[in-house]
Amino acid sequence: QVQLVESGGGLVQAGDSLRLSCAASGRTFSSAAMGWFRQAPGKEREFVAAITWSGGSPYYADSVKGRFTISTDNAKKTVDLQMNSLKPEDTAVYYCAASWGSRWYSGYDYQYWGQGTQVTVSS
């Protein structure tokens, strides 16, 4: 059974940085892609970033390009999301997810999800 556990959320001010981490366990992830998503109050969940464990090119939502960086640590089996220049509109619950599907790069075909971690950016 796949388990994804996010950590690193918190309350920061606009312009600050925050690093989220997702610990993955329970299955061989070498053929999987990992993604970060977020859901703000009253809004639908949206794709933020994704990457494969094999280290291919990452994909980002336009709203976070140039500010967020997704990376994997195969030894630790973690997927991190470095968030810089945070804005109040980045406030959301951030979720880590795993995909063994073909449309992972566009935010689809994710089979497993973590419980989420809250990120709040004050102005």
Side-chain angles (χ1 to χ4, degrees), residues 1-6 22-27 29 34 53 77-78 96-98 100 112-115:
Q1 184 175 354
V2 172
Q3 284 194 321
L4 303 172
V5 180
E6 302 97 334
C22 172
S25 63
R27 183 173 172 173
F29 287 85
M34 302 297 294
W53 282 106
K77 291 184 73 174
T78 58
C96 171
W100 279 265
Y112 299 95
W113 296 82
Q115 83 289 348

Side-chain angles (χ1 to χ4, degrees), residues 4 14 24 41 63-65 81 85 88 99 115:
L4 303 172
S63 58
V64 305
K65 274 181 185 176
L81 186 68
S85 302
S99 171
Q115 83 289 348

